[in-house]
Amino acid sequence: MSRDLRPWCSRAGLRSLLSATLLVLAALSGGCASHGKQTVVVLGPWMGDEAAAFTKTLDLLDDGTPYIYTYQGTRSLRETLVAQLEAGAPPDVAILNSQGELSEYAHQGVLTPLTGELGSKAYPPWAPELVVNGSRHTYWVPLKVDLKSLVWSKRSQPVTPHTWCLGMSSQATTGWPGTDWIEDILLHRSGWQVYEQWANGELSWTSDAMKDAWRTWAALIEGQDGRSALDTPYEGKGGTGLLDTGTCTQEHEGSFIRYLYGPDTDFEPSVDAVPQLRRNQDAYEVSADMAAVFRDSPAALQLLNRLSGTKGRTTWMNQAKQMLKPNFPSAADPQPQDRVGKRVATALTGGTGSAPTRLLCFDASDTMPPTLRDAFQHAVLQFLSAPHRGLADAPLGQLEAERKRLSRADWLPATSVCGSPAG
């Protein structure tokens, strides 16, 4: 390949570690036939029950087509995908949760632009248009979406005094639960315009708004052992949710965490649960798993159409276990019918009551260029490891230096981070 993708690798020996995977995927990808059918490979982050439901969905969707849809799941998605690109054996479709990474791939010329019906399914905040080589296109579509800006607690457990669950460990992306805190605080204390400026690289990390966000988080978790959070998985040890440990009463987490808990666990919007955030109450932070075509073919584009259509989404919903049923971006899409899932869907598609959802703002760190996102996650870990957590312990100057190092082309468009619900 003419594009040098080596800087994206995190370890020098990565390619050798993944060689077996590459051989398998290379054999499956790129139009190889099995019993006269073309194989279409989807690379994604889901494992366990999530992977099983998605695999079954693909099996049902390829029925009657000239294709065999195959899912390959990995917990080292970025490293695996980079290695495949370097080897010239990319998957047909890859599913990522980082718009910053997807934008980087689009500008590198390794993504296929989406047009027609697929292009109409891509819209902010889930999939903004990019200008690449002078042409404006969308390059990915949201498959499943999640609501953030939530605080979870046990209905039977008193929540005063507040004790926050703190688990930062998440393999290659350790630290992201802390970045979610900073993002949510900034969004609700400084408003969506400031949030969008920051997520688009137009606001200094040493600004008053950013300093306020770090100070507020420090005050919220004052007295708690941040160092122990560095090695605590965000899901809890052994797959037991942090709220089930009995050591904390409130968990700041996205809607995907509901799969760990039973009906005795519920959420409040963070603006209701955290008095310090009771501003700008009609906005939520959100995230998504998004699909892009890495091997240009009618088969890959057809699969994206199927997955993002009503039949595909209904099929997926029917295969998933109760607390793993996915949320989708529009009120016209099928949605979970359990009490918690329905509440999430209502907020994602417009909300009701006195403060309906007016804006959905994409996870800011996931819109940033990957180098800055990684530095942000590391900064959270540094901050938590400080015994007395003052603003001086937040490496804002280092983050600002990285922001200044990046060029304007490294960022998403200026008004693409926040958008109205598709309700």
Side-chain angles (χ1 to χ4, degrees):
M1 296 179 66
S2 60
R3 295 169 294 276
D4 184 5
L5 300 172
R6 285 174 294 179
W8 295 354
C9 291
S10 62
R11 294 175 177 85
L14 178 62
R15 289 185 294 279
S16 61
L17 292 174
L18 295 171
S19 59
T21 302
L22 287 171
L23 288 173
V24 172
L25 292 177
L28 290 171
S29 293
C32 295
S34 175
H35 304 292
K37 286 194 170 189
Q38 178 183 345
T39 299
V40 180
V41 175
V42 181
L43 179 70
W46 304 312
M47 306 292 284
D49 289 339
E50 282 188 294
F54 188 68
T55 297
K56 181 61 175 176
T57 299
L58 293 179
D59 290 344
L60 293 171
L61 290 180
D62 71 18
D63 187 36
T65 73
Y67 311 117
I68 294 176
Y69 299 143
T70 301
Y71 175 68
Q72 299 288 335
T74 175
R75 294 196 185 279
S76 301
L77 182 60
R78 180 172 172 81
E79 291 85 355
T80 301
L81 182 55
V82 167
Q84 290 179 32
L85 287 166
E86 287 188 321
D92 296 275
V93 173
I95 301 166
L96 295 86
N97 62 13
S98 169
Q99 292 188 356
E101 286 184 36
L102 286 165
S103 176
E104 196 172 67
Y105 288 129
H107 285 285
Q108 288 285 337
V110 297
L111 297 189
T112 299
L114 306 181
T115 58
E117 184 180 358
L118 266 178
S120 69
K121 296 175 181 177
Y123 44 84
W126 312 112
E129 289 186 327
L130 305 180
V131 176
V132 178
N133 295 327
S135 297
R136 184 182 297 274
H137 293 286
T138 52
Y139 287 86
W140 58 86
V141 292
L143 291 190
K144 62 183 289 288
V145 301
D146 282 293
L147 186 68
K148 295 195 171 184
S149 301
L150 304 179
V151 172
W152 299 80
S153 60
K154 296 282 187 181
R155 301 170 106 188
S156 58
Q157 186 177 30
V159 295
T160 50
H162 301 310
T163 308
W164 290 105
C165 301
L166 293 176
M168 297 292 130
S169 179
S170 182
Q171 297 188 4
T173 57
T174 290
W176 67 258
T179 67
D180 275 8
W181 260 117
I182 299 298
E183 291 156 2
D184 200 12
I185 292 169
L186 183 75
L187 174 62
H188 290 104
R189 286 181 66 84
S190 297
W192 71 268
Q193 295 95 334
V194 172
Y195 180 94
E196 192 166 61
Q197 288 174 349
W198 173 57
N200 284 317
E202 297 174 349
L203 181 74
S204 170
W205 285 81
T206 58
S207 66
D208 289 343
M210 181 52 54
K211 290 178 180 178
D212 174 75
W214 288 83
R215 286 193 187 103
T216 300
W217 189 37
L220 285 170
I221 60 176
E222 184 178 4
Q224 294 190 229
D225 182 5
R227 290 182 176 179
S228 66
L230 307 185
D231 297 322
T232 301
Y234 75 94
E235 297 174 299
K237 295 180 179 179
T240 300
L242 293 175
L243 284 171
D244 287 333
T245 64
T247 61
C248 53
T249 60
Q250 291 182 292
E251 183 174 10
H252 181 265
E253 194 56 271
S255 57
F256 52 83
I257 207 69
R258 68 193 179 102
Y259 80 93
L260 289 175
Y261 299 118
D264 63 329
T265 303
D266 208 346
F267 70 83
E268 287 184 279
S270 56
V271 292
D272 294 333
V274 185
Q276 293 89 332
L277 304 189
R278 288 177 185 167
R279 308 176 191 173
N280 305 293
Q281 296 190 29
D282 53 358
Y284 284 93
E285 185 184 4
V286 295
S287 62
D289 292 306
M290 301 156 290
V293 173
F294 281 76
R295 189 184 289 273
D296 190 3
S297 71
L301 292 166
Q302 183 185 97
L303 175 57
L304 249 63
N305 258 317
R306 286 171 173 264
L307 286 171
S308 57
T310 301
K311 179 181 178 181
R313 286 174 169 164
T314 300
T315 301
W316 191 0
M317 184 74 68
N318 291 338
Q319 307 316 307
K321 291 185 175 181
Q322 182 69 23
M323 299 307 284
L324 284 172
K325 290 189 181 297
N327 283 98
F328 300 119
S330 171
D333 294 323
Q335 300 291 355
Q337 293 304 302
D338 65 285
R339 177 181 53 82
V340 174
K342 288 174 70 173
R343 287 189 64 203
V344 171
T346 298
L348 281 167
T349 58
T352 58
S354 60
T357 308
R358 183 170 65 91
L359 282 174
L360 303 175
C361 294
F362 205 88
D363 182 303
S365 60
D366 282 337
T367 69
M368 295 175 183
T371 57
L372 185 55
R373 175 204 59 195
D374 295 347
F376 186 14
Q377 292 169 355
H378 183 66
V380 162
L381 304 182
Q382 286 183 261
F383 188 65
L384 286 174
S385 66
H388 301 294
R389 280 190 297 277
L391 188 60
D393 298 309
L396 301 182
Q398 297 172 30
L399 294 169
E400 176 61 8
E402 176 61 20
R403 181 187 76 90
K404 289 181 176 179
R405 188 191 66 80
L406 296 163
S407 71
R408 187 65 251 163
D410 293 322
W411 298 85
L412 291 178
T415 58
S416 62
V417 174
C418 298
S420 300

